[in-house]
Structure formats: structure tokens, C-alpha cells
Amino acid sequence: METKTTFNEIFELLKNKKVYFFDLDGTLYLEDLLFEGILNLINKLKSLDKKIFFLSNNSSISTKEYLLKLEKLGLDINIENIILSTHPTIQYLKKKKVKKIYLLGTKSLQSEFIEEGFEITDKDPEIVVLGFDKELTYEKLVKVSYFLQDNLPYIATHPDKVCPTRKGYIPDAGAIISLLYEATGKKPKIFGKPNKEMLLFKLRELKISPKDAVIVGDRLYTDIRMGKEAGVTTICVFSGETSREMIEKSEIKPDIVLNKATDLIKILK
Ligand SMILES: [Mg+2]
């Protein structure tokens, strides 16, 4: 599909959509500052009966704690509105009927897996699950290395190599995956963005077709690529990482480009 440029083209493409997925950092906020007008946008979508979901790959905290983080930023939402890379990971484990896992993850993440019915153990686990473990120790790495050499199945919540902070980048799940790859030669099956499962598992649950959904994001190689692969309408915004020049050079062409997410308010009328 060619990128839609006129107001009418964009309106026509969006008017019957039922679900809006939003990337967070660079799309709705930067660090701990919500962009102006975002609350109006969310209210507008709610008043039009659109389903709204906020996506993050960050698996360093549980969904409950993530909700508190988003509430602190000023977003008025429920836990059901949040999709983390943890969720398609848990769906996969449930589908595979796995019970005992070794989880490389924070205490906060562990609590979510336990609530979901999993047993976290280093005694004969059925699978290794790697998350963004900000409480990583050498002892944990040793355990995982042995499990991987024993050819235990191995999955990870998301592929991001680094996570941005005020002072600079810190190692994220992808960097821990690389470290373990150097040591064991093993690579995990990965969920989270840009894996289209991050959108499709939720659409299956809602029984809504991908063509009735929209993803709004600021990164071509994650948000927009994932949307394209899932068959969801893609909107790239310029409030984060991507510029017009980057889109011109990229093979990944969003269906719609907007300066900022709140431009949707006037389009949705
Ligand atoms: Mg982003």
C-alpha cells in the first residue's frame, strides 16, 4: 500500500478501525514526560468505542508495576490496556502446557509468572525463559549455561539489546542473549516487538481481524515492520526516532505518517 497523504485518504483508511495499538516511548511520551494532548487522544478513542492497547517490550517489571508506572505519567488506563512482551511469552508457555520454568528475570517478573500458575525452579525445569533481568547475577548465568548445554528449550521475552536511560544505554535482554550465545552457541525463540505475535495473540483473543487494527509507533524496524507483517495498518510518527528522510531511505513504508500521535484527534473527528 502506498503511504496515504491526504486528510480524506487517511480518514477513509482509519474510520472503521476497531483497535489501536500504541508504542509508548517516542510515541506517547519521552522518558517521564507525557506529550501534550495525549490524554485528549485517549479520551477521544474511548468515546469512539475503540479498543486501546499500549505496547512495551520491557519485561523487567510485572504488568501490575507497569500500570503504576503509566499511571504516574498521567495515563488513565486499566491493566487490560497494557501489552508487554511477557504476555505472548506466557501465552506460548500455556499453549505448550509447560509448568516448570527456569526464569532469568527480576523478582517483579517472577511474581507475575507465579500468579499465572508457573513453578519457577532450578530443579529440572522444562524450559529456560529469559527476560530483562536487572537483578542478573553470575550464579544465574552459570545455571542457564548448564541448562542450555543440556539442550533445554530456550525462549526470551524480547530482543532489544539496550534500554535508554537518562545517563545513557544499559544492557537489555538482547545483550544478555548475546552473552549466553557467546558462551553456549544457543539462541532463544524470541517474542515481543518486532515479532508479529505481539499483536496477533491479542487480536486472536479479541476475535478481531488484523485489517481492523492500527499500530502507532516511532520506529520503522520494530513498530512499523511488526504492523506490516501482522497485516495491521501502520502509522509512523515523528515524535521519536524516525524522520521523513529515514522513511524515504527505508524499505519499510508506513501506511500513514503523522508529525505526532495527537494529530489523530482531528482526523477521527
Ligand atoms: Mg518507541
Side-chain angles (χ1 to χ4, degrees):
M1 198 191 313
E2 288 278 297
T3 301
K4 302 282 184 253
T5 49
T6 71
F7 186 93
N8 280 339
E9 279 178 333
I10 296 172
F11 175 78
E12 283 301 317
L13 185 55
L14 295 181
K15 69 176 181 187
N16 293 323
K17 302 295 182 191
K18 297 177 179 145
V19 181
Y20 280 78
F21 293 102
F22 287 96
D23 166 58
L24 289 166
D25 219 353
T27 301
L28 298 191
Y29 59 71
L30 269 184
E31 292 232 343
D32 48 11
L33 200 66
L34 204 63
F35 293 138
E36 206 187 322
I38 292 299
L39 294 184
N40 293 340
L41 171 62
I42 303 304
N43 289 335
K44 180 85 200 172
L45 289 166
K46 280 183 186 168
S47 73
L48 294 169
D49 262 336
K50 310 293 183 191
K51 293 192 191 314
I52 312 164
F53 296 100
F54 304 99
L55 302 180
S56 172
N57 268 359
N58 187 345
S59 63
S60 72
I61 53 174
S62 69
T63 316
K64 277 182 189 163
E65 277 189 51
Y66 216 90
L67 176 65
L68 294 177
K69 178 184 149 129
L70 295 181
E71 281 175 342
K72 236 186 234 171
L73 287 167
L75 282 172
D76 173 24
I77 55 164
N78 299 314
I79 200 156
E80 293 76 32
N81 298 119
I82 301 173
I83 300 179
L84 303 179
S85 61
T86 316
H87 303 160
T89 308
I90 286 175
Q91 284 268 324
Y92 172 84
L93 291 170
K94 286 186 173 173
K95 211 172 84 191
K96 291 272 173 194
K97 300 197 174 8
V98 171
K99 279 276 161 223
K100 291 166 74 174
I101 64 172
Y102 184 77
L103 179 66
L104 207 59
T106 58
K107 288 202 175 65
S108 177
L109 185 68
Q110 287 180 20
S111 69
E112 180 154 355
F113 275 86
I114 291 166
E115 271 176 36
E116 291 287 342
F118 297 98
E119 183 190 336
I120 297 169
T121 180
D122 54 9
K123 303 272 181 301
D124 298 321
E126 297 163 71
I127 192 167
V128 171
V129 181
L130 182 149
F132 182 7
D133 191 355
K134 288 184 173 172
E135 296 154 12
L136 185 67
T137 62
Y138 196 79
E139 193 193 344
K140 288 183 182 178
L141 289 172
V142 168
K143 281 181 186 172
V144 172
S145 298
Y146 290 149
F147 289 139
L148 297 185
Q149 287 167 75
D150 286 343
N151 290 319
L152 219 59
Y154 172 36
I155 62 174
T157 54
H158 64 288
D160 303 41
K161 288 192 162 55
V162 291
C163 173
T165 70
R166 250 174 229 287
K167 277 189 177 174
Y169 291 107
I170 58 172
D172 201 325
I176 307 172
I177 290 170
S178 298
L179 186 157
L180 286 165
Y181 176 70
E182 290 297 325
T184 67
K186 298 289 165 66
K187 281 184 181 167
K189 176 180 176 63
I190 304 176
F191 300 86
K193 294 188 278 184
N195 186 334
K196 63 185 176 183
E197 253 324 279
M198 184 91 165
L199 302 174
L200 293 180
F201 91 97
K202 184 52 75 177
L203 290 171
R204 277 198 301 270
E205 203 177 290
L206 297 167
K207 297 190 169 62
I208 287 176
S209 161
K211 67 174 173 24
D212 294 325
V214 180
I215 169 123
V216 187
D218 73 308
R219 270 187 182 171
L220 290 172
Y221 56 93
T222 56
D223 307 318
I224 305 304
R225 181 177 142 202
M226 172 177 65
K228 296 238 138 201
E229 285 177 6
V232 165
T233 296
T234 52
I235 302 180
C236 186
V237 291
F238 295 136
S239 50
E241 202 177 272
T242 303
S243 64
R244 220 171 263 284
E245 296 70 46
M246 284 164 76
I247 293 179
E248 275 159 25
K249 281 188 199 140
S250 173
E251 281 176 12
I252 305 166
K253 303 287 185 204
D255 300 313
I256 296 169
V257 295
L258 296 174
N259 282 324
K260 51 193 193 307
T262 47
D263 290 349
L264 279 169
I265 298 173
K266 19 180 219 290
I267 294 163
L268 295 166
K269 286 185 192 164

